[in-house]
Amino acid sequence: MNLLIAQQTKFVDFKKIETVLAFNQMKVDSTVFNSYEIKFDILKQTDSIYLDAIGMKFLNVALNEVSVKYKNDGKKLVIYNDFKASASHTLNFLFFASPKKAMYFIGWDNDSRNQIWTQGQGKNTSHWLPSIDDMNDKIEFDISCVAPKGYQVISNGKMVSKRETSIHNLWEFDMENPMSSYLVALVVGNYDKKVTFSKRGIPLEMYYYPEDSLKFEPTYRYSKRMFDFLEEEIGVPYPWQNYKQVPVKDFLYAGMENTSTTIFADSFVTDSIAFVDKNYVNVNAHELAHQWFGDLVTETSGTHHWLQEGFATYYALLAERDIFGDDYYYWRLYEYAQELLEQDKAGGSTSLLNPKSSSTTFYKKGTWVLHILREKVGDGAFKKGVKNYLLKHQFKNVETENFIIEVEKASGVDLSEFVKTWLEDEKYLYEDCISSLKQNSKEISRMFALDQELMFSSHSLEYSVDRYWGKAIGSKVKAHLFSRDEINIVHDSIIRKGLNSNDLKVRQAIAQNLTKIPSELKSEYESLLNDKSYITIEAALFNLWKNFPQDRQKYLDKTKNIQGFSDKNVRTLWLALNLVSPDFEDKNIRNIYKELTDYTSPKYGFEIRQNAFQYLNQIQACNDGCKENLKQATKHHNWRFSKFAKELIKAN
């Protein structure tokens, strides 16, 4: 039977892959003559097996050390043989790949940091490594890689050896358990690392750029605590030998949960000030939770994608709850509910079991389903059901029914109606979500009461702030009040309450929403430039610059040394404001223009480049160099950035 027209997993079980990767030229997207060995068992008699291999060439193809008939159609390597059931085999070959996807060569053709990293989610690993695109076939991958001295190599599993020569090093990694092909990872770059150990002794390896040593602590803050919490909360020991986290430039997503080796966007590398508003904690916890939900047990198909993303989002939120408290947990659930409501209003609500659902549905609705389910069956039954589900199906593939069965067994509750209502129906049950929040969170109940008061009574925002300010309402409720549109028409004394507060989030809400600054509040508003928040400083700088032209020089002088987040949000704004301030006295105006234009270069991360492009476009100052960089950006591997560049060109 030809397996090209059948589901191969019924006929063959690939067990273990050992491969050695060697790069021909680091500046070219290619690898050369990589050795490859795969062991497999035949489950049912067949005349062929295949590996997915996109655009590769092969030499010395041998089955059990004997040359074998094969076909390479550019998408698959097909091996022909009279394969008998219950037989074990070993396939060897050399392969050459020039990957157009999944393996990215960063910085080798410009002045940026040099990196190679992979992203295989979906069906992309086969662009750089012969593998199986079907996530239902789990394999033990042992990767070895030759790289120049001075570079770290990071891959799945435990590094078992590092062999050194005068020019290159050979790094060898071992995995003990199987995983789906899309979770194979490789990173080559210049890193330092620190290692700590979980309560159970699992090595936690955290990588960072050598120049970012002062950012290590705020970036990886709470990592060990979250690891220990999730092990205890889930009730199943972390299933891999170690856990690594590696930042990379221009990553496609926030992070990716490759088995034992999370890769994440270096835009989450943060200092202690940025931590307040944009930190790595949630992404950190989310990708860690995937090591159980997605890596240990893996969906059979996109129909059950929520079993990965909904679970990872929910357990990340539980980890954050352990750190930041109950209020944080419920406010995040409220934000998820609002996002789902907006999607519903736009006609985008779908079943959680629809493989074409949005990320909002898989992540946020999936989280809500687990929250409501836990309330329905109780903590004990929920945790027991999750634990049994993971243990029963570890290193296997799962469907939603597998999870529901275990929760029903643990709780004794028939969940058929729950499944129909929350998982199968397209309708989003917003009121049920809000009811749960009101029952659990006094702060959210207060917020809804205030909104009702403002909407249906004659009371003004001034009245509500004045009435509730002295009471024990939380930061979120206060910030919510000051984020309302009415803030621009309330009395100065009300705004002064917020500006005189020590609450960063309340002050931030004023900075972001008060666009017309009363002259009587000028000095209080100026104090926002001292806040330990790059979001607040950015908003306050722009609003002060706009409202008080006579003091622009003072505001620019005060903020000239602030960079902001990793995307240089404050710095790029500062440069743009200088360029459109006719009374600015800086004699280095040409250098200022050059710096802003330089930030459009490929040597910078796409987040910085996007800010620079936006400001140069707004002030109509994108010169030939900027335009050339913008044209180059349309071909960037990050689709969001390339889409931005194309739309900006089209608009002009």
Side-chain angles (χ1 to χ4, degrees):
M1 180 179 182
N2 192 324
L3 290 185
L4 296 181
I5 57 173
Q7 186 178 12
Q8 182 171 237
T9 53
K10 297 179 181 179
F11 295 85
V12 60
D13 180 16
F14 291 107
K15 308 296 287 187
K16 182 176 182 178
I17 290 173
E18 294 183 359
T19 186
V20 179
L21 307 174
F23 294 98
N24 179 20
Q25 298 180 66
M26 302 301 278
K27 294 186 179 181
V28 179
D29 297 2
S30 63
T31 56
V32 62
F33 294 149
N34 302 293
S35 69
Y36 190 98
E37 177 179 286
I38 183 167
K39 299 181 185 296
F40 59 94
D41 295 340
I42 297 298
L43 305 177
K44 295 174 65 174
Q45 183 173 345
T46 182
D47 60 7
S48 64
I49 63 165
Y50 69 80
L51 292 169
D52 293 298
I54 310 298
M56 298 182 187
K57 297 178 182 179
F58 299 91
L59 288 175
N60 304 341
V61 181
L63 181 67
N64 304 322
E65 300 184 348
V66 178
S67 295
V68 66
K69 181 182 177 182
Y70 71 92
K71 176 184 176 182
N72 175 19
D73 65 2
K75 294 183 179 180
K76 287 178 168 56
L77 172 66
V78 186
I79 306 299
Y80 296 99
N81 191 59
D82 182 17
F83 291 107
K84 304 294 185 181
S86 303
S88 299
H89 299 275
T90 301
L91 179 69
N92 295 84
F93 51 78
L94 299 176
F95 74 97
F96 174 90
S98 182
K100 306 303 180 187
K101 288 183 179 180
M103 178 174 278
Y104 298 91
F105 292 70
I106 307 297
W108 302 95
D109 56 354
N110 57 51
D111 295 330
S112 180
R113 66 177 78 253
N114 297 336
Q115 293 178 344
I116 300 171
W117 49 261
T118 60
Q119 170 57 17
Q121 186 165 28
K123 298 182 177 181
N124 290 333
T125 295
S126 57
H127 284 263
W128 66 274
L129 182 69
S131 52
I132 300 298
D133 289 338
D134 186 348
M135 67 181 70
N136 289 276
D137 197 338
K138 295 198 170 190
I139 306 168
E140 178 188 336
F141 287 87
D142 293 341
I143 306 292
S144 297
C145 181
V146 176
K149 294 183 78 67
Y151 288 91
Q152 288 267 353
V153 174
I154 304 138
S155 189
N156 311 87
K158 181 180 179 181
M159 189 188 79
V160 292
S161 73
K162 177 184 175 184
R163 305 181 193 179
E164 300 190 20
T165 70
S166 59
I167 301 175
H168 294 89
N169 294 331
L170 172 64
W171 304 70
E172 297 180 297
F173 295 87
D174 171 69
M175 281 292 293
E176 292 179 347
N177 292 306
M179 61 181 174
S180 299
S181 298
Y182 78 93
L183 295 167
V184 181
L186 182 73
V187 178
V188 179
N190 184 15
Y191 294 96
D192 286 339
K193 75 172 179 178
K194 293 184 180 180
V195 182
T196 188
F197 294 87
S198 73
K199 186 184 297 184
R200 201 167 55 86
I202 299 294
L204 310 179
E205 302 179 20
M206 293 164 279
Y207 290 81
Y208 60 97
Y209 303 141
E211 66 271 25
D212 285 340
S213 61
L214 296 180
K215 295 181 179 180
F216 174 86
E217 189 282 326
T219 298
Y220 288 111
R221 191 175 294 172
Y222 305 123
S223 289
K224 179 184 181 301
R225 176 172 175 173
M226 291 189 296
F227 190 99
D228 291 334
F229 169 82
L230 286 177
E231 274 208 319
E232 182 175 347
E233 170 66 27
I234 294 169
V236 176
Y238 176 78
W240 318 104
Q241 296 128 294
N242 54 18
Y243 185 56
K244 288 161 278 192
Q245 298 180 80
V246 193
V248 299
K249 178 177 179 282
D250 285 350
F251 196 50
L252 299 177
Y253 308 102
M256 177 62 200
E257 69 277 8
N258 309 293
T259 308
S260 78
T261 307
T262 285
I263 295 175
F264 68 96
D266 63 10
S267 56
F268 285 99
V269 174
T270 184
D271 61 25
S272 57
I273 296 177
F275 183 90
V276 173
D277 295 312
K278 181 184 177 182
N279 56 59
Y280 176 54
V281 174
N282 181 262
V283 176
N284 187 339
H286 181 97
E287 307 309 335
L288 175 57
H290 268 309
Q291 299 298 317
W292 288 268
F293 306 102
D295 296 8
L296 178 61
V297 296
T298 308
E299 66 190 48
T300 57
S301 67
T303 299
H304 309 283
H305 193 49
W306 83 281
L307 292 176
Q308 297 183 185
E309 298 303 347
F311 273 74
T313 307
Y314 174 69
Y315 276 91
L317 196 51
L318 291 182
E320 289 185 290
R321 182 184 193 173
D322 177 65
I323 296 166
F324 302 122
D326 287 350
D327 281 345
Y328 177 92
Y329 173 78
Y330 290 116
W331 278 106
R332 290 290 284 171
L333 281 176
Y334 168 75
E335 291 166 6
Y336 294 173
Q338 298 310 114
E339 190 176 337
L340 287 162
L341 178 62
E342 290 304 311
Q343 178 179 257
D344 188 50
K345 289 179 178 178
S349 287
T350 56
S351 163
L352 195 57
L353 301 183
N354 183 342
K356 296 183 179 180
S357 289
S358 68
S359 294
T360 298
T361 296
F362 287 133
Y363 288 62
K364 311 298 175 56
K365 187 176 182 180
T367 297
W368 263 107
V369 164
L370 293 172
H371 172 80
I372 295 293
L373 178 60
R374 189 168 188 160
E375 286 190 334
K376 182 177 181 66
V377 302
D379 278 356
F382 181 86
K383 293 179 74 170
K384 182 179 179 181
V386 170
K387 180 178 180 179
N388 291 343
Y389 158 72
L390 289 173
L391 292 176
K392 184 174 181 178
H393 301 285
Q394 59 185 326
F395 309 115
K396 298 176 183 177
N397 294 81
V398 289
E399 297 184 351
T400 299
E401 184 181 15
N402 300 132
F403 169 63
I404 296 298
I405 286 173
E406 296 306 321
V407 179
E408 285 185 328
K409 287 180 180 178
S411 65
V413 177
D414 181 355
L415 295 176
S416 55
E417 189 62 33
F418 178 87
V419 169
K420 180 181 178 180
T421 303
W422 284 94
L423 277 72
E424 296 176 347
D425 285 357
E426 293 185 356
K427 185 179 179 181
Y428 167 52
L429 303 175
Y430 175 74
E431 293 302 328
D432 292 61
C433 295
I434 297 305
S435 176
S436 172
L437 289 175
K438 288 180 177 178
Q439 290 176 23
N440 288 286
S441 171
K442 292 182 179 179
E443 287 296 291
I444 290 177
S445 292
R446 281 197 186 100
M447 181 197 68
F448 276 102
L450 280 170
D451 282 346
Q452 289 287 104
E453 182 178 281
L454 289 168
M455 186 178 300
F456 297 110
S457 75
S458 58
H459 294 149
S460 65
L461 178 62
E462 290 184 51
Y463 173 84
S464 294
V465 172
D466 210 34
R467 177 184 172 194
Y468 285 98
W469 191 260
K471 297 184 178 181
I473 61 172
S475 172
K476 278 280 191 178
V477 177
K478 291 179 180 178
H480 175 74
L481 287 171
F482 282 103
S483 65
R484 297 181 65 92
D485 292 338
E486 300 99 303
I487 190 175
N488 283 289
I489 59 173
V490 301
H491 193 274
D492 295 356
S493 63
I494 299 300
I495 301 173
R496 186 171 279 113
K497 286 181 183 290
L499 288 173
N500 289 333
S501 166
N502 292 323
D503 192 316
L504 283 176
K505 291 300 180 181
V506 171
R507 291 167 60 83
Q508 187 176 99
I510 294 174
Q512 291 180 300
N513 294 283
L514 183 66
T515 57
K516 298 178 181 179
I517 308 170
S519 57
E520 293 80 7
L521 295 177
K522 181 169 176 281
S523 60
E524 286 100 329
Y525 194 97
E526 287 173 343
S527 70
L528 293 171
L529 293 178
N530 299 318
D531 279 19
K532 301 296 184 181
S533 163
Y534 294 135
I535 289 178
T536 301
I537 293 171
E538 179 186 10
L541 172 59
F542 178 77
N543 288 333
L544 286 166
W545 180 90
K546 186 177 180 180
N547 279 264
F548 305 110
Q550 70 277 12
D551 288 324
R552 286 174 176 174
Q553 181 77 49
K554 179 175 72 171
Y555 303 137
L556 293 172
D557 285 344
K558 184 173 181 61
T559 56
K560 65 181 178 181
N561 294 319
I562 301 174
Q563 298 293 315
F565 297 118
S566 59
D567 65 356
K568 296 184 181 291
N569 65 312
V570 178
R571 182 63 179 176
T572 49
L573 171 63
W574 185 91
L575 293 168
L577 292 180
N578 277 305
L579 294 175
V580 293
S581 297
D583 55 345
F584 186 58
E585 299 176 357
D586 198 317
K587 297 179 181 179
N588 294 317
I589 199 70
R590 289 185 179 180
N591 291 335
I592 289 172
Y593 178 61
K594 181 180 181 302
E595 181 182 346
L596 184 57
T597 302
D598 192 45
Y599 286 146
T600 67
S601 166
K603 69 183 179 182
Y604 293 100
F606 74 84
E607 301 93 347
I608 296 174
R609 299 178 67 191
Q610 186 162 313
N611 280 343
F613 281 130
Q614 285 176 324
Y615 284 127
L616 287 167
N617 178 65
Q618 289 173 10
I619 65 177
Q620 299 182 340
C622 188
N623 62 15
D624 290 343
C626 167
K627 291 176 181 177
E628 185 63 30
N629 288 336
L630 185 59
K631 182 179 178 181
Q632 183 273 344
T634 63
K635 300 178 181 179
H636 197 276
H637 61 266
N638 186 292
W639 69 268
R640 292 178 181 84
F641 182 52
S642 63
K643 180 182 178 182
F644 159 82
K646 291 172 184 175
E647 291 178 348
L648 193 59
I649 289 175
K650 185 178 180 180
N652 289 281

